[in-house]
Amino acid sequence: MTTITKAAAIGGGVIGAGWVARLALNGIDVAIFDPDPQAARKVGEVMEGARRAYRRMAPDGLPKEGRITYAATIAEAVAGADLIQESVPERLEVKHKVLAEIDAHAPAEAVVGSSTSGIKASDMQSAMQRPERLVVAHPFNPVYLLPLVEIVGGEQTSGQAVERARALYASIGMKPVVIRKEIEAFVGDRLLEAVWREALWLIKDDVTTVEELDDIMRYSFGLRWAQMGLFQTYRIAGGEAGMRHFMAQFGPCLSWPWTKLMDVPELTDELVDKIADQSDEQAKGLSIHELERIRDDNLVAMMEALSKENDGKGWGAGALYKDFVERLGETKAKSGEE
């Protein structure tokens, strides 16, 4: 399997720090560049949470942790790196500036992955002399636990870079999915945006509250999606006749005027205050860090449970989790870490 000997993280915010945690806890050295004077503190807090989650995943011990260093420049950070993960703010002019500098100093064989949530690789490649090695590598938060990474090539991305990226991300326990067509926001965020848009209308129109809406999701279809996704869930809903019957039975309702999906509610101060106030009430005094710990514990527990299903082979994310934990153990044995 293709392995990463050194990685660089350009940007140490929530997503960048999540990448650092996943890489370092896989035993990979990571150099970080982030001009934020609070970067070390922020990354350190994410590392603390990630270590806690990984110790629960692998109670027999983890590999020797990769060394985390803070570089003074992008050039220093990317020197000798196999994988460079760019996680800077979602502004094209910022991406262009950072990617141009990465491109000027990175080793020729390095893969450059952008964590962008919606910008196309083709729109970022114009800043690079070696655009063929840039891929979108879009993860989901928390990066150190959620395994999916959407890989999207641009017009100038080489097939070799896409395949190498797929192998590199798989080597750190991720589930790379190569998106077949380059579109803004890719696939995951397109689906999330549709649900988010409808949810905003339901809150704005006082149909439900923030807490009630979250309960509706987590006590019903959220559980189904977590282990079987959308289409396989609906295949079962079609009974013995499967998906064709489901489509015939429920397809016509798609033309009914149920949804406001094509409209966007204005994010007025009133709506923002309503959502924020309801969210504060829902949290019941729990801090963000406390909620992150609860989230991580729940994610580990769900993946652990799924890892034991399917006659012990694991199911869905649980199968990948099972393989990943075994790989962590093998890496630990090779590193001699106690």
Side-chain angles (χ1 to χ4, degrees):
M1 176 180 289
T2 303
T3 57
I4 304 166
T5 56
K6 182 199 168 185
I10 310 303
V14 172
I15 297 299
W19 279 115
V20 172
R22 180 173 279 272
L23 290 157
L25 291 172
N26 272 269
I28 298 164
D29 293 341
V30 189
I32 304 169
F33 173 77
D34 190 321
D36 182 356
Q38 297 295 314
R41 177 187 63 80
K42 293 175 181 178
V43 171
E45 289 174 355
V46 172
M47 285 297 303
E48 182 182 353
R51 288 188 191 103
R52 181 177 178 275
Y54 272 54
R55 288 182 188 123
R56 183 172 174 183
M57 288 166 57
D60 294 333
L62 292 166
K64 181 180 179 181
E65 195 170 297
R67 191 164 63 101
I68 297 173
T69 57
Y70 290 85
T73 63
I74 289 176
E76 180 186 339
V78 304
D82 306 298
L83 175 68
I84 299 156
Q85 194 69 33
E86 170 271 304
S87 305
V88 301
E90 292 284 274
R91 298 198 300 274
L92 190 56
E93 69 276 11
V94 175
K95 299 282 191 188
H96 280 167
K97 181 179 178 181
V98 169
L99 287 169
E101 193 163 353
I102 290 172
D103 192 46
H105 299 285
E109 67 278 6
V111 169
V112 181
S114 174
S115 301
T116 177
S117 297
I119 301 173
K120 294 195 295 185
S122 293
D123 292 336
M124 295 185 284
Q125 287 174 319
S126 61
M128 303 175 69
Q129 295 298 313
R130 294 179 61 93
E132 69 278 1
R133 58 176 167 174
L134 176 71
V135 298
V136 164
H138 174 233
F140 290 78
N141 187 41
V143 182
Y144 53 83
L145 284 181
L146 293 184
L148 181 68
V149 56
E150 293 180 296
I151 297 177
V152 195
E155 293 173 0
Q156 300 178 74
T157 306
S158 70
Q160 182 181 12
V162 169
E163 289 308 309
R164 185 146 186 267
R166 189 206 298 260
L168 290 174
Y169 292 113
S171 76
I172 53 174
M174 303 199 79
K175 173 66 175 177
V177 175
V178 176
I179 306 304
R180 296 169 181 268
K181 289 186 178 181
E182 190 187 24
I183 57 172
E184 290 90 348
F186 327 124
V187 175
D189 279 355
R190 290 273 181 128
L191 296 172
L192 288 173
E193 192 271 343
V195 175
W196 174 241
R197 185 185 299 229
E198 192 73 15
L200 289 175
W201 277 115
L202 292 167
I203 302 300
K204 180 182 184 300
D205 292 343
D206 293 317
V207 175
T208 190
T209 67
V210 164
E211 184 169 8
E212 290 165 353
L213 189 142
D214 281 352
D215 284 347
I216 286 166
M217 296 182 75
R218 67 194 184 115
Y219 286 94
S220 63
F221 54 83
L223 291 171
R224 299 188 311 202
W225 288 354
Q227 51 85 36
M228 202 164 271
L230 181 66
F231 283 95
Q232 199 162 50
T233 292
Y234 284 162
R235 176 182 176 83
I236 294 171
E240 292 183 358
M243 183 57 81
R244 292 184 185 279
H245 177 67
F246 176 83
M247 296 287 284
Q249 184 173 2
F250 294 101
C253 73
L254 294 175
S255 63
W256 298 348
W258 283 357
T259 181
K260 292 187 176 181
L261 206 54
M262 298 310 294
D263 299 322
V264 183
E266 183 182 354
L267 292 180
T268 61
D269 290 343
E270 180 183 8
L271 179 57
V272 171
D273 287 343
K274 177 190 287 191
I275 292 172
D277 290 345
Q278 290 183 10
S279 180
D280 289 343
E281 183 179 351
Q282 178 188 22
K284 296 179 174 61
L286 292 169
S287 70
I288 295 297
H289 289 309
E290 287 170 325
L291 288 170
E292 286 173 339
R293 286 195 292 271
I294 291 168
R295 174 202 66 190
D296 289 358
D297 286 348
N298 290 342
L299 288 171
V300 171
M302 287 188 287
M303 290 190 288
E304 175 72 21
L306 288 171
S307 75
K308 298 173 183 176
E309 298 307 312
N310 194 23
D311 295 325
K313 294 189 290 289
W315 179 266
L320 187 65
Y321 174 93
K322 179 182 175 70
D323 290 342
F324 182 46
V325 173
E326 290 174 357
R327 192 181 307 156
L328 287 174
E330 292 168 2
T331 306
K332 172 183 177 290
K334 290 177 183 177
S335 67
E337 181 73 358
E338 296 298 329

